Amino acid sequence: MNWNARFSDAASRIADADAVIGILKLAEQPGIISLAGGLPDPRVFRIEETREAMAQVLTDHGPEALNYSPNPGITELREFLATRMARIERIRCSPEEILVCSGGLEGIRHAFNALTNPGDPVLFEDPTYMVALQVCRELAGIPVGVSSDDAGMIPEALDDTVLRLAREGRAPRVLYVGPSFQNPTGRTWSLKRRREVLEVAERHDLAVVEDHAYGELRYEGEWLPSLKSLAPERVIFVHTFSKIFGPGLRLGWVAADRGLIERLGLLKLGTDQCSSALTQRLALAYGRAGGLDAQVERAQDLYRRKRDAMIDALADFPCRTPWLRPDGGFFLWSEVDCDTEKLLLRSIERHGVAFVAGNCFFADPTSAVARVSIRLSYSYVAEDLIPEAIRRLGQALRETVGS
Amino acid sequence: MNWNARFSDAASRIADADAVIGILKLAEQPGIISLAGGLPDPRVFRIEETREAMAQVLTDHGPEALNYSPNPGITELREFLATRMARIERIRCSPEEILVCSGGLEGIRHAFNALTNPGDPVLFEDPTYMVALQVCRELAGIPVGVSSDDAGMIPEALDDTVLRLAREGRAPRVLYVGPSFQNPTGRTWSLKRRREVLEVAERHDLAVVEDHAYGELRYEGEWLPSLKSLAPERVIFVHTFSKIFGPGLRLGWVAADRGLIERLGLLKLGTDQCSSALTQRLALAYGRAGGLDAQVERAQDLYRRKRDAMIDALADFPCRTPWLRPDGGFFLWSEVDCDTEKLLLRSIERHGVAFVAGNCFFADPTSAVARVSIRLSYSYVAEDLIPEAIRRLGQALRETVGS
């Protein structure tokens, strides 16, 4: 049977993701130093404490942990998250305003699916989280990029974009953003920008999806309020255990209006019905034992050191724009003097180093800036390999620019 | 903000699921004996062996178990599943032809999404698994029911339905079936029917999604070959750990053509990116230690006893069609002399017993047969409560018919 001839439009729209998967696979080959994937450093995991929490779960809640759990999440975990968000993010919400998801991305997906129809424009920072773009495209939404700089999304650019789309008869309803230590740029929006962008969102009645995946990994500078805490009604706040416990749990959550949360839960019935009771119970036991806070502290120290090591190694690197020194998160971002897809192939094939070419993070991957952009991740690579990785990358860049 | 006014078409299409969720919540109230949910009996779980397998995972693979895992699943688990399917189901497939999912339903979703466009008809047994219907509707597919009897889908009915749709210019491409101990009827297709339906599928070039969720829970009668083993190329085989280990893991898998599996993996990038490395490693360790086979044996004994207890209790129950005595699975199915939605409300409110009204399992929930159908689950209810549950249900039925 020729299955290729049977694929739906959705399956065709997602096919582009294949190229990125291919590159990530190449990056995992032996001998390659990878600055590509955004994986946590395994040294932040607290295996012994995880084992203890899991043993406790199976002793105290074994039968419930192995069975189906409530669609919106285990009640005690939703209560725990509400309390923790109040303490850490000054977000006030009730447990009923929280949906536990299988990773933050599942929450983003359901938010897009609940609030946009095929053909609708969806607003993104330019550049933005690649998988959120892919989900939007799979759902037949039309990603529209909004110009951003190192202080965050540019409010005038947002306003202009909304007005232009409205004039074209396709006023946008949804804005997706990552205001804290963004993937891929590492950028953090200033407080001023947060307020200004929310004002524009208010004026045009946009629902705002705030991705807080890296938000707790601040290792420098002052705490800033999330958009959710500044505009509780308008913002759909998406967070994840992936960076504060481990991606292997596949657990995240959404905090939003209660009626919306119920609808997102119905959409979740059609992905996995409910998230794992076992990993939910684990997250709860680990969190109650203080595991999340202890792990975040350890992660902050480790990633600060790795960021510094990479910034140091990049001191003489010939890039077009200076590397932003992020206050948190996993990533460095810049532009260079060549097509970064070409650079990537040369880097992998001849120099044994990998990164992610920037174009996949843009609503329009063919734009001039998209094609010369580059994302380096310092989260997973071993610290002592960073200088060698950057040396190899510099060599590949000189060759590519000169070729 | 009025979020209701913002909901997409997909969010509106899924809203019907809300009623069913509401009923299941009612069924969980204290004092209600529930024959509603299709949950495993917690007594089949082997908590001590699960704890041992989990301790081993965290000792041997802690850092990998807490991190992201490959999108299609952990290689060793895919190898284990290929070997196990060959042994138990005589299905020959390579690890590359397997996608690990977060429950079987996720695999069904991706198969529908990869192979149908909005507006396409999708063929289902009448009645069929409710959540598969909901997913089809959410994706804007049009469920079309095909008449079935106690021997399975009726091949002539399938042929007629395909021809009728083709005449209307909307020839179907996908058929979803549960040939073994089906949810909701408990039916198992005869070998003859399996072959005949596959012949019709071949003639009309239908892709066949085979849901094998209950397939290993045979506690009576002879093993029968899966559709997948009879037509390896045409069938997308979906199985789950939910009934052979525990739903709390949220793990299932799809076995299908390799190119299709890769495409389903891309769609999985947009739900949860990868399934939990922790629960995948747990399933592998537990499976390698013989846990799955031991648990299946225990489950077979337990559910056979519970089926017998319920069949006995139903001896004088006034239903319109005789209860099928299933050879496996979780469910009994029949028709009664009243609207079962009305019966359900009376049963819960006045008699403290719950079940699922049959209409939600039909492509057309308003049909005459849909409205008088009833599903009873014997999987979760305590054995010694079964006679009392059926006594209460009989009382509610007499009152409803007489009212």
Side-chain angles (χ1 to χ4, degrees):
Chain A
M1 286 174 73
N2 178 7
W3 290 93
N4 269 319
R6 291 174 175 261
F7 287 144
S8 66
D9 298 340
S12 303
R13 287 191 300 264
I14 199 76
D16 285 347
D18 203 28
V20 176
I21 294 216
I23 295 289
L24 289 173
K25 264 190 204 157
L26 278 181
E28 284 162 14
Q29 287 176 312
I32 306 272
I33 308 178
S34 177
L35 312 177
L39 283 74
D41 190 318
R43 283 179 296 166
V44 305
F45 300 143
R46 300 164 71 250
I47 305 294
E48 192 45 45
E49 291 83 352
T50 304
R51 196 201 327 259
E52 281 164 21
M54 184 54 100
Q56 190 199 323
V57 165
L58 288 171
T59 301
D60 297 349
H61 301 281
E64 304 97 287
L66 290 178
N67 222 325
Y68 289 105
S69 54
N71 161 259
I74 291 174
T75 304
E76 299 97 299
L77 181 60
R78 295 164 88 196
E79 289 165 353
F80 173 83
L81 291 172
T83 305
R84 190 168 187 276
M85 281 193 289
R87 172 169 59 85
I88 295 184
E89 309 294 347
R90 300 181 206 164
I91 291 171
R92 305 275 154 215
C93 73
S94 71
E96 292 76 23
E97 292 168 313
I98 294 173
L99 177 73
V100 177
C101 291
S102 302
L105 181 77
E106 197 204 358
I108 296 167
R109 174 190 189 81
H110 293 325
F112 287 176
N113 198 14
L115 300 173
T116 65
N117 280 319
D120 283 356
V122 180
L123 301 169
F124 290 87
E125 286 162 279
D126 235 356
T128 189
Y129 173 43
M130 169 180 64
V131 189
L133 279 178
Q134 285 168 351
V135 167
C136 174
R137 293 193 184 108
E138 184 222 309
L139 293 167
I142 312 293
V144 177
V146 178
S147 296
S148 303
D149 61 23
D150 285 351
M153 179 169 275
I154 300 168
E156 296 77 15
L158 176 61
D159 195 45
D160 289 349
T161 306
V162 174
L163 292 172
R164 173 176 63 77
L165 290 166
R167 278 195 304 273
E168 294 168 7
R170 44 189 205 117
R173 311 296 310 275
V174 175
L175 167 66
Y176 166 87
V177 294
S180 298
F181 325 121
Q182 192 226 27
N183 178 1
T185 60
R187 285 169 180 160
T188 294
W189 298 14
S190 67
L191 180 57
K192 182 160 175 283
R193 282 288 174 87
R194 289 170 194 243
R195 294 211 162 108
E196 289 169 345
V197 167
L198 284 171
E199 274 170 30
V200 179
E202 177 83 27
R203 193 181 323 141
H204 296 296
D205 198 21
L206 301 172
V208 180
V209 181
E210 177 180 29
D211 192 337
H212 197 68
Y214 301 88
E216 295 191 39
L217 297 185
R218 173 182 286 282
Y219 30 80
E220 212 160 88
E222 289 299 303
W223 180 87
L224 283 172
S226 61
L227 303 189
K228 177 71 176 170
S229 67
L230 297 172
E233 284 209 8
R234 183 162 301 281
V235 176
I236 300 157
F237 181 79
V238 183
H239 201 351
T240 175
F241 282 98
S242 292
K243 278 78 188 180
I244 61 177
F245 190 170
L249 279 77
R250 301 316 301 125
L251 278 188
W253 67 95
V254 182
D257 170 83
R258 185 176 173 160
L260 175 61
I261 285 293
E262 285 174 7
R263 199 59 69 103
L264 300 184
L266 295 183
L267 289 168
K268 182 175 178 59
L269 284 181
T271 49
D272 59 5
Q273 306 190 268
C274 58
S275 289
S276 164
L278 185 62
T279 64
Q280 285 186 71
R281 291 260 171 217
L282 173 62
L284 180 62
Y286 185 82
R288 280 182 175 163
L292 301 173
D293 295 347
Q295 182 163 336
V296 165
E297 203 167 307
R298 180 191 292 197
Q300 287 164 337
D301 289 342
L302 180 62
Y303 296 130
R304 185 194 303 112
R305 265 204 335 264
K306 295 177 90 167
R307 176 205 61 181
D308 290 345
M310 195 171 278
I311 292 270
D312 286 351
L314 286 163
D316 300 321
F317 194 85
C319 50
R320 190 183 277 182
T321 54
W323 299 89
L324 177 78
R325 181 186 177 88
D327 285 340
F330 282 9
F331 306 110
L332 295 182
W333 177 262
S334 188
E335 293 163 29
V336 296
D337 282 317
C338 69
D339 180 308
T340 47
E341 282 200 338
K342 280 187 198 151
L343 173 63
L344 178 57
L345 287 182
R346 180 177 289 261
S347 295
I348 290 178
E349 286 169 8
R350 304 208 192 166
H351 298 279
V353 62
F355 58 89
V356 181
N359 57 353
C360 61
F361 301 102
F362 285 85
D364 174 6
T366 65
S367 73
V369 62
R371 295 178 62 180
V372 299
S373 293
I374 175 170
R375 188 192 82 175
L376 306 183
S377 169
Y378 48 84
S379 62
Y380 189 75
V381 63
E383 222 167 319
D384 57 358
L385 289 179
I386 288 177
E388 172 64 11
I390 300 301
R391 194 197 59 74
R392 293 185 187 187
L393 186 59
Q395 182 62 24
L397 178 59
R398 277 184 293 274
E399 287 175 21
T400 310
V401 171
S403 71
Chain B
M1 286 174 74
N2 179 6
W3 290 94
N4 269 319
R6 293 174 174 261
F7 287 144
S8 65
D9 298 341
S12 303
R13 288 191 300 264
I14 199 78
D16 285 348
D18 201 31
V20 176
I21 294 217
I23 294 290
L24 289 175
K25 265 191 204 157
L26 279 180
E28 284 161 14
Q29 289 176 311
I32 307 274
I33 308 179
S34 177
L35 313 176
L39 282 74
D41 190 318
R43 283 178 297 167
V44 305
F45 300 143
R46 299 164 72 250
I47 305 294
E48 192 45 45
E49 291 82 353
T50 303
R51 196 200 329 257
E52 282 164 21
M54 184 54 97
Q56 190 199 323
V57 165
L58 287 171
T59 300
D60 297 349
H61 301 282
E64 303 96 286
L66 291 179
N67 222 324
Y68 289 105
S69 54
N71 161 259
I74 290 174
T75 305
E76 299 97 298
L77 181 59
R78 296 164 88 196
E79 289 165 354
F80 173 83
L81 291 172
T83 305
R84 190 166 187 276
M85 281 193 288
R87 171 168 63 84
I88 295 184
E89 308 295 348
R90 300 181 205 164
I91 289 171
R92 305 273 157 216
C93 73
S94 70
E96 292 76 24
E97 291 167 315
I98 295 173
L99 177 73
V100 177
C101 292
S102 301
L105 182 77
E106 197 205 355
I108 295 166
R109 173 188 191 83
H110 294 324
F112 286 177
N113 199 14
L115 299 172
T116 66
N117 280 320
D120 283 355
V122 179
L123 301 168
F124 290 87
E125 288 163 279
D126 235 355
T128 189
Y129 174 42
M130 170 180 63
V131 190
L133 279 178
Q134 286 168 351
V135 167
C136 174
R137 293 193 185 110
E138 183 222 309
L139 293 166
I142 313 293
V144 177
V146 177
S147 296
S148 303
D149 62 22
D150 284 351
M153 179 170 276
I154 301 168
E156 296 78 14
L158 175 61
D159 195 44
D160 289 349
T161 306
V162 175
L163 291 173
R164 173 176 63 78
L165 290 167
R167 278 195 305 273
E168 294 169 6
R170 44 191 205 116
R173 311 297 309 277
V174 174
L175 168 66
Y176 166 88
V177 295
S180 297
F181 325 123
Q182 192 225 28
N183 179 2
T185 61
R187 285 169 179 160
T188 294
W189 298 13
S190 67
L191 181 56
K192 182 161 173 284
R193 281 289 175 87
R194 288 170 194 244
R195 294 210 161 105
E196 289 170 346
V197 167
L198 283 172
E199 273 171 30
V200 179
E202 177 83 26
R203 193 182 321 141
H204 296 295
D205 198 20
L206 301 172
V208 180
V209 180
E210 178 181 29
D211 192 336
H212 197 67
Y214 301 88
E216 295 191 38
L217 297 186
R218 173 183 285 284
Y219 32 77
E220 212 160 88
E222 290 298 303
W223 179 88
L224 283 171
S226 62
L227 302 189
K228 178 71 176 170
S229 67
L230 297 172
E233 283 209 8
R234 182 162 303 282
V235 177
I236 300 158
F237 182 79
V238 183
H239 201 351
T240 175
F241 283 98
S242 291
K243 278 80 189 179
I244 61 177
F245 191 167
L249 279 76
R250 302 316 300 126
L251 278 187
W253 69 96
V254 182
D257 170 82
R258 185 176 172 161
L260 175 61
I261 285 292
E262 286 174 5
R263 199 58 69 104
L264 301 184
L266 295 183
L267 289 168
K268 182 175 178 60
L269 283 181
T271 49
D272 60 5
Q273 306 190 267
C274 59
S275 290
S276 164
L278 185 62
T279 64
Q280 286 187 71
R281 292 260 170 216
L282 173 63
L284 180 62
Y286 186 82
R288 280 182 175 162
L292 301 173
D293 295 348
Q295 182 164 336
V296 166
E297 203 168 305
R298 179 191 292 196
Q300 288 164 337
D301 289 343
L302 180 62
Y303 296 129
R304 183 194 304 111
R305 264 200 342 259
K306 295 177 91 167
R307 175 205 61 182
D308 290 345
M310 195 172 280
I311 292 269
D312 286 351
L314 286 163
D316 300 320
F317 194 84
C319 49
R320 192 185 277 181
T321 53
W323 300 89
L324 176 78
R325 182 186 176 88
D327 286 340
F330 281 10
F331 306 109
L332 295 181
W333 178 262
S334 189
E335 293 161 28
V336 295
D337 283 316
C338 68
D339 180 307
T340 46
E341 283 200 336
K342 280 187 196 150
L343 173 62
L344 178 56
L345 287 182
R346 182 176 288 262
S347 296
I348 290 179
E349 286 168 8
R350 303 210 192 166
H351 298 279
V353 62
F355 59 89
V356 182
N359 56 355
C360 61
F361 301 102
F362 286 83
D364 174 7
T366 65
S367 73
V369 62
R371 296 180 57 180
V372 299
S373 293
I374 176 170
R375 188 192 82 174
L376 305 183
S377 170
Y378 48 86
S379 61
Y380 189 77
V381 63
E383 222 166 320
D384 57 358
L385 290 179
I386 289 176
E388 172 64 9
I390 300 300
R391 194 196 61 74
R392 293 184 186 187
L393 187 58
Q395 183 61 27
L397 178 59
R398 278 183 293 272
E399 288 173 17
T400 311
V401 172
S403 71

